[in-house]
Amino acid sequence: MTTKDTDFAIDGHGDISVGVHGAGASGDGSASATRITPGNALRPEDIALEISRGQVKPSEDVAEFALRIGDDGLILAQRLGHWISRAPELEEDIALGNIALDQLGHARSFLTYAGAAWGKSEDDLAYFRREHEFRSAHLFEQPNGDFAVTIARQFIVSFYQFELYTKLMESTDATLAAISAKAVKEVDYHRDHSAQWVLRLAGGTDESRDRIIQGFKLVWPYVDELFEDDELTTRLAEAGVTVQPSSLREEFDHLTGGIMAQAELDIPGVPQSLGGGRRGKHSEFLGYILAEMQVLAREHPGASW
Amino acid sequence: MASQNLQSVPAELSPEEQEREAAGQAYFDRIISEDSRIEPRDWMPAAYRKTLLRQISQHAHSEIIGMQPEANWITRAPSLKRKSILMAKVQDEAGHGLYLYSAAETLGQSRDQMMEDLIAGKARYSSIFNYPTISWADMGAIGWLVDGAAICNQVPLCRASYGPYGRAMVRICKEESFHQRQGFEILLELSNGTPAQKQMAQDAVNRWYAPSLMMFGPPDDDSPNSKQSMAWNIKRFSNDELRSRFVGMMVEQVRVLGLTLPDKDVRFNEETKKWEHGPLDWNEFKEVLAGRGPCNSQRVERRREAHENGAWVREAAVAYARKQAQKENAA
């Protein structure tokens, strides 16, 4: 914020502005999604503006792909948001809140872009689709559990997302590349945060070690789904829009394996779940997440907020 | 000076210690009379320390408990933009709690102890957070009215005589000002929306108006601590003065919103040049303060639950840090 100190002097007390000018703390209304440099904040509003001007429009395939990764972020943000005011320490209320905000920010950009293919807004997609229309992977909808489960989930997510967004920065689709360039820097912090906590919990007390081992057991069945190739990713990989998810696995295993080894934790030998999230097949959890997330928007269809 | 009356000097002090105390008091009195700042290592009267500690910790607790009524709507925010703004706002409040606990720690009490007191029901926090947030419009009304009232209270605190408190308040006020604008914007959007949305906004303003006026504390003739706090340059304006200013601001802003204040007695008194408002139910205020508000036990219980559920995490972090330090020492 660039507000001057003098705005808060007692003399100006009665004049507290109620205008919203300058409310946007980051980004620049004239920023371009396609000309954006990694150092600038790219906002979903910037993408929406380009869409409305007819400057960008994703192909059906690109939109379908953006929907997948947008839904991942959205559902995870919905989960993480629940921690705010419930975390083990104030610093973690802030950290988990920050990660939730980052995930939501990425989701808004990806969904805004995806929606352009079908004339839909980010909110149309978030609030007015049903369970089978969501494309998020199962990992993202897993319950928060205790702090260890949340950290185990975040550890997998952030190492996966880091690899994906790093590759997407090279995408032939300029908008996906621009969104990813912003996202990857944030996800790098998420990696650091979760890796540090994995080490702390594994090397802390007997209880914390038991809990992080149990946490990994609960979320590890959903790892393979993240790296599954299918017809869509094959077509997009050929077009240079993204890479095959399976190609991200080696580096993911290498980096997560390094931290796990340092923490003296074994990769859980648990069976991998069938997944299916990318095809709209979800667990029982998603219905409840959507019921809560969508209730108010659906009570007032067409309303603006 | 009034401050000297509150300073009881223990009888067993040696002559040297008595001299040091007297010199400290003289320094303190000079700083206050010059309207300058007391810093953590400076001598200060025990009662000044106690008053500040009470005020700053209560303020910190209010930020932390105040996260709950708003966090209540994060998962149900009706647009992704609003969800994102609300998350950032509640996160700011955690940040305010952190600065304030840190400022309080400079007076010699640990954050752990303050948290224990809060959970044990021994510490107070702003009573307004014991009211429920039952509709989305409450996010607007809290931002506009509750944060608006908080700003009126807090802007003068940027000049509080205790350095760490005043400095913490500068940053907090900047963020609060932003919060108030976002609350106003939520209400404006609702007021210009469908009839159901407008009704939602008016209902929220009706419910939060009186509690927000009571945030300034009891009327001046019933506020025993105010006078001393003003003498110490902690508080700069009386409760009633600030309340009247706040009413004046709201009268103007509610017109822009296209809503009304639920108070037919609001008027500008030409003689006193002050805004006046209708009677407030101070009995309800005292009831809520005494623990009989709609959400008192729920709020403290949530804090207790989060704190206790997190105990093993905090223990793990401490154990890990200790082991790392041992490794480094051994190396």
Side-chain angles (χ1 to χ4, degrees):
Chain A
M1 302 251 339
T2 55
T3 327
K4 292 184 302 256
D5 284 348
T6 48
D7 288 357
F8 303 97
I10 190 69
D11 302 335
H13 199 217
D15 309 324
I16 289 168
S17 164
V18 292
V20 290
H21 303 295
S26 65
D28 163 5
S30 64
S32 154
T34 49
R35 284 184 290 107
I36 200 93
T37 61
N40 288 349
L42 170 67
R43 304 172 309 163
E45 289 81 1
D46 300 324
I47 299 169
L49 193 64
E50 297 211 334
I51 291 167
S52 70
R53 288 177 181 156
Q55 290 164 327
V56 295
K57 188 174 179 186
S59 67
E60 186 74 20
D61 275 359
V62 167
E64 190 59 38
F65 178 70
L67 198 60
R68 292 182 178 186
I69 51 183
D71 284 348
D72 286 350
L74 175 61
I75 299 303
L76 183 60
Q78 190 70 9
R79 281 295 194 209
L80 288 171
H82 188 77
W83 273 108
I84 304 174
S85 76
R86 293 180 173 88
E89 192 69 290
L90 281 177
E91 284 82 350
E92 284 306 308
D93 276 304
I94 296 177
L96 293 172
N98 230 1
I99 295 171
L101 264 173
D102 289 344
Q103 291 287 334
L104 182 56
H106 310 159
R108 292 185 58 205
S109 290
F110 286 127
L111 293 181
T112 298
Y113 187 45
W118 312 299
K120 288 184 187 297
S121 70
E122 50 173 322
D123 288 337
D124 293 335
L125 292 175
Y127 292 97
F128 294 93
R129 275 182 302 155
R130 296 170 56 203
E131 280 170 72
H132 67 275
E133 296 170 295
F134 274 76
R135 292 290 177 267
S136 44
H138 283 225
L139 179 61
F140 300 89
E141 63 199 56
Q142 295 308 305
N144 287 339
D146 64 11
F147 186 70
V149 176
T150 290
I151 289 298
R153 185 183 64 198
Q154 200 58 46
F155 179 74
I156 298 168
V157 167
S158 45
F159 278 83
Y160 157 71
Q161 287 181 332
F162 185 83
E163 294 309 315
L164 176 63
Y165 295 154
T166 302
K167 291 289 188 296
L168 282 177
M169 283 167 66
E170 310 293 322
S171 173
T172 51
D173 184 290
T175 305
L176 287 185
I179 300 169
S180 302
K182 176 176 188 280
V184 77
K185 288 183 293 176
E186 296 171 351
V187 168
D188 199 12
Y189 282 108
H190 307 174
R191 286 201 309 179
D192 189 40
H193 174 264
S194 60
Q196 284 191 41
W197 271 114
V198 166
L199 292 173
R200 272 189 213 114
L201 297 181
T205 61
D206 289 345
E207 182 182 7
S208 68
R209 186 168 176 83
D210 288 346
R211 284 182 187 255
I212 190 69
I213 288 170
Q214 179 61 17
F216 272 119
K217 256 187 215 163
L218 284 173
V219 294
W220 208 267
Y222 309 100
V223 171
D224 277 9
E225 184 189 8
L226 302 175
F227 301 98
E228 258 172 37
D229 304 336
D230 63 11
E231 287 177 14
L232 177 71
T233 60
T234 304
R235 286 197 303 275
L236 290 172
E238 279 165 12
V241 171
T242 181
V243 295
Q244 287 284 28
S246 60
S247 72
L248 305 170
R249 185 67 191 252
E250 194 181 335
E251 194 62 10
F252 171 87
D253 283 345
H254 171 67
L255 293 174
T256 52
I259 305 282
M260 296 289 271
Q262 200 186 331
E264 296 173 19
L265 293 175
D266 295 325
I267 303 291
V270 286
Q272 289 298 302
S273 156
L274 279 174
R278 305 301 189 204
R279 300 187 302 280
K281 291 175 187 288
H282 294 280
S283 69
E284 292 171 349
F285 301 121
L286 188 66
Y288 291 92
I289 295 174
L290 298 186
E292 189 173 356
M293 181 172 80
Q294 298 178 334
V295 61
L296 179 58
R298 285 187 176 226
E299 236 179 88
H300 302 265
S304 132
W305 302 92
Chain B
M1 287 192 73
S3 56
Q4 284 160 332
N5 302 336
L6 287 167
Q7 178 70 7
S8 58
V9 179
E12 65 272 20
L13 287 184
S14 68
E16 294 81 29
E17 284 167 327
Q18 283 184 22
E19 203 172 307
R20 260 206 307 279
E21 287 288 305
Q25 180 75 57
Y27 174 79
F28 177 83
D29 291 345
R30 181 166 62 78
I31 293 289
I32 296 296
S33 69
E34 288 170 356
D35 201 0
S36 190
R37 276 191 159 155
I38 300 293
E39 295 299 337
R41 288 168 189 279
D42 293 344
W43 187 94
M44 62 187 88
Y48 176 83
R49 185 184 296 275
K50 194 175 157 200
T51 297
L52 274 169
L53 197 53
R54 194 196 62 218
Q55 181 170 339
I56 301 173
S57 61
Q58 281 181 11
H59 190 166
H61 296 327
S62 303
E63 296 283 358
I64 299 311
I65 295 292
M67 291 168 70
Q68 293 180 28
E70 292 179 288
N72 185 39
W73 282 90
I74 288 177
T75 54
R76 291 176 293 167
S79 79
L80 297 186
K81 185 178 178 184
R82 291 283 175 213
K83 188 192 289 289
S84 162
I85 293 170
L86 185 60
M87 266 190 201
K89 179 177 192 270
V90 181
Q91 196 196 21
D92 280 353
E93 282 152 12
H96 297 174
L98 269 182
Y99 317 144
L100 289 163
Y101 283 127
S102 302
E105 283 187 304
T106 65
L107 292 160
Q109 194 167 56
S110 72
R111 185 166 129 196
D112 284 347
Q113 183 59 52
M114 289 183 265
M115 197 56 83
E116 296 291 327
D117 289 349
L118 175 62
I119 291 166
K122 288 188 216 159
R124 278 184 175 165
Y125 54 86
S126 184
S127 229
I128 197 149
F129 301 119
N130 290 317
Y131 290 91
T133 52
I134 56 174
S135 88
W136 168 253
D138 290 6
M139 298 303 97
I142 287 183
W144 181 52
L145 290 169
V146 177
D147 294 337
I151 294 168
C152 284
N153 255 331
Q154 293 171 7
V155 166
L157 290 174
C158 296
R159 296 194 288 131
S161 57
Y162 188 58
Y165 191 30
R167 288 188 289 270
M169 291 315 303
V170 172
R171 179 159 173 190
I172 291 173
C173 283
K174 289 185 188 195
E175 292 178 351
E176 290 293 351
S177 167
F178 186 60
H179 294 174
Q180 200 221 7
R181 283 185 240 171
Q182 70 85 36
F184 182 89
E185 202 206 358
I186 287 176
L187 292 177
L188 189 63
E189 192 79 34
L190 292 174
S191 177
N192 291 318
T194 64
Q197 284 179 302
K198 183 163 186 170
Q199 178 52 42
M200 196 193 288
Q202 183 64 58
D203 168 65
V205 170
N206 291 350
R207 279 181 291 110
W208 292 95
Y209 172 76
S212 71
L213 291 196
M214 291 195 273
M215 281 174 72
F216 294 94
D220 292 349
D221 50 22
D222 188 24
S223 179
N225 298 325
S226 284
K227 213 171 175 183
Q228 178 61 73
S229 282
M230 286 174 80
W232 276 332
N233 296 344
I234 297 173
K235 201 172 161 69
R236 302 282 178 167
F237 301 94
S238 80
N239 296 350
D240 287 336
E241 257 172 71
L242 290 170
R243 190 168 13 245
S244 155
R245 265 179 218 225
F246 176 67
V247 169
M249 281 164 55
M250 295 301 107
V251 165
E252 277 181 46
Q253 294 178 10
V254 80
R255 261 187 244 136
V256 183
L257 285 175
L259 300 171
T260 55
L261 295 178
D263 185 347
K264 58 183 175 20
D265 299 322
V266 167
R267 67 179 195 113
F268 187 72
N269 184 325
E270 289 294 344
E271 256 172 53
T272 59
K273 302 287 175 203
K274 282 191 194 306
W275 282 92
E276 292 174 354
H277 55 82
L280 293 167
D281 185 354
W282 290 106
N283 191 41
E284 177 178 308
F285 178 80
K286 283 173 186 160
E287 289 286 301
V288 178
L289 203 62
R292 289 185 282 275
C295 305
N296 296 58
S297 64
Q298 175 192 339
R299 299 291 188 234
V300 174
E301 171 59 12
R302 162 87 77 84
R303 185 87 297 271
R304 188 197 63 75
E305 199 181 10
H307 194 69
E308 289 182 7
N309 287 346
W312 69 270
V313 178
R314 296 190 299 276
E315 284 158 17
V318 170
Y320 181 75
R322 198 174 44 232
K323 288 181 197 171
Q324 290 302 106
Q326 279 166 359
K327 268 188 206 165
E328 275 171 31
N329 287 341

